[in-house]
Amino acid sequence: MKHTTIDSRLSYAPIQKTVVAIAFGILCVTGITSNSLRAEVATNRGLAIAIEADNRDSGWGDLSAKMVMTLTNRHGESSEREITIRSLEVNSDGDKLLTIFHTPRDVKGTAFLSFTHVEGADDQWLYLPALKRIKRISSGNKSGPFMGSEFAFEDLSSQEVEKYNYKYLGDDSLDGVACLMVERIPTDKRSGYTKQIVWYDKEEYRIQKIDFYDRKSSHLKTLVYNSYQLYLGKYWRALEMEMKNLQTGKATSLQWADYSFGNGLSERDFDKNTLKRAR
């Protein structure tokens, strides 16, 4: 064994420190690279999950359905609204949605029209029969409540993949259903949300739950999807949806029925000039 004197240890110290510094630097760079790769993998997988979910629900063309919207305040008091929904799938852009209120009397004839766009702000209009005029919903107001419900105007747009940045968060289980958790951050700086956490079931890539976080990054609302039913052997639709506001204690539930696909709807059925005549 070679013995090292005190002098030789002193002369060796600067070299040793240099080697240690280099090794530490390599470890740091490796750590940064590793973290970067993990982030990239999470981003790519989150996006892939969103694309798969979107692809599985493409090609339905048009649909109509009936819906009962129930508004419940923090005291448990509730009121119902009967609604007709019509939607048109648009190639190379977002979907078009027409919502028509039938009851109660104070909202009868109210109609809402939404054109979702893959790029840029969505176009939305609301016809108010009491005023006999069509009101355009500005981009800055889309985080506001839709007709007194816990749904915001932006919640009613079709959730196009391009409207978010994604990150895969991991696997989870909801009531025994194996799920994929994905964080999505709106690309629209005027969105009322800083982020949303979405649970997709692993088998069919159907959304099971969404947590919404407000502009202060606080958990604002949770939307739960239940009672999925298969249509045309391919398209899943939840017959029950409930949005709970964790900050106010209010809730809005949607009960869907009478889904019908391939009704021959066209762009003309979604013209804002026909809102006043919508039935």
Side-chain angles (χ1 to χ4, degrees), residues 207-259:
I207 294 179
Q208 302 295 311
K209 185 174 80 166
I210 306 176
D211 284 346
F212 298 85
Y213 291 77
D214 63 19
R215 288 172 177 161
K216 295 181 180 179
S217 297
S218 297
H219 189 180
L220 173 63
K221 304 183 297 187
T222 291
L223 176 61
V224 176
Y225 296 69
N226 285 308
S227 303
Y228 270 101
Q229 185 167 322
L230 185 63
Y231 294 89
L232 304 181
K234 183 178 180 181
Y235 306 112
W236 292 96
R237 292 293 181 273
L239 301 185
E240 299 176 4
M241 301 166 64
E242 184 173 34
M243 181 79 87
K244 290 185 178 180
N245 190 313
L246 280 68
Q247 298 181 9
T248 65
K250 297 179 181 180
T252 298
S253 66
L254 308 179
Q255 302 288 326
W256 298 80
D258 299 338
Y259 269 105

Side-chain angles (χ1 to χ4, degrees), residues 66-78:
K66 293 180 180 179
M67 183 228 289
V68 175
M69 174 187 285
T70 303
L71 310 181
T72 305
N73 64 23
R74 62 188 181 91
H75 302 294
E77 301 166 334
S78 62

